[in-house]
Amino acid sequence: MDSNREMDPEHQVPDGVDEKTVRALGALSKALETTERARGHLYGFHQLTGTADFELGDAVRLLREAGHEEQAARVEYDIVGRNVIPGHWTFQIIEAYNDTYYRPFARVERDIVDELAGGRDHLLEARLKTIRRTHHHPDHTATPPSSS
């Protein structure tokens, strides 16, 4: 295969798949990618909130060392280990998001790509690569170099 002329078979649009379907699958994939980013932000929220809670422990210790027992006790009682929403720590929010939204979305997206495009991912992006690259330029090849 001349990698300057065509995409690898995994990224070629299967016979019978029209342009509107390729665009629809691209939109579906983009929506899932956006959900992946949102999920990443949830993990960031989870880690930052956990870090803040441990930093509060340091603040409580330092308040006590400075002789401010009442303020230390208030922070410890009211804030350290507190739920971020009623009944939930951040890990529970992530679990609920994954179970309720993310995993069902990912399954539906995968099923539809399998049904309509034979499981071939990123067809829209592959088409854009074919259109936008400079043909016959060594840094614009259609596929990675073969490893043979």
Side-chain angles (χ1 to χ4, degrees):
M1 169 175 66
D2 179 351
S3 64
N4 269 323
R5 292 208 206 160
E6 60 184 69
M7 294 300 297
D8 52 334
E10 302 87 54
H11 293 103
Q12 291 176 6
V13 177
D15 291 338
V17 176
D18 64 13
E19 182 61 27
K20 285 183 180 181
T21 300
V22 170
R23 287 198 331 258
L25 291 173
L28 184 61
S29 174
K30 184 176 180 183
L32 181 60
E33 290 170 8
T34 301
T35 299
E36 294 279 6
R37 290 179 58 207
R39 188 168 174 245
H41 287 291
L42 275 179
Y43 278 93
F45 166 71
H46 164 64
Q47 291 174 353
L48 289 169
T49 301
T51 298
D53 194 65
F54 282 106
E55 290 170 348
L56 281 170
D58 292 340
V60 167
R61 179 183 51 77
L62 291 168
L63 283 166
R64 285 197 169 111
E65 288 175 6
H68 305 291
E69 179 58 38
E70 180 182 330
Q71 290 80 5
R74 183 174 172 200
V75 171
E76 189 173 50
Y77 180 79
D78 285 341
I79 307 299
V80 173
R82 185 181 185 102
N83 291 329
V84 295
I85 61 173
H88 292 81
W89 270 22
T90 56
F91 75 90
Q92 292 166 305
I93 295 169
I94 290 169
E95 288 174 354
Y97 182 83
N98 284 340
D99 291 344
T100 304
Y101 189 77
Y102 172 73
R103 287 189 189 106
F105 188 170
R107 272 192 305 272
V108 166
E109 190 269 351
R110 178 79 274 151
D111 288 348
I112 291 172
V113 170
D114 288 348
E115 291 165 14
L116 299 180
R120 294 180 185 178
D121 291 313
H122 299 112
L123 295 178
L124 182 63
E125 290 90 338
R127 176 156 297 152
L128 289 171
K129 180 177 182 178
T130 298
I131 293 167
R132 294 182 57 82
R133 69 189 182 86
T134 303
H135 290 267
H136 307 293
H137 187 292
D139 294 323
H140 292 234
T141 57
T143 61
S146 63
S147 57
S148 52

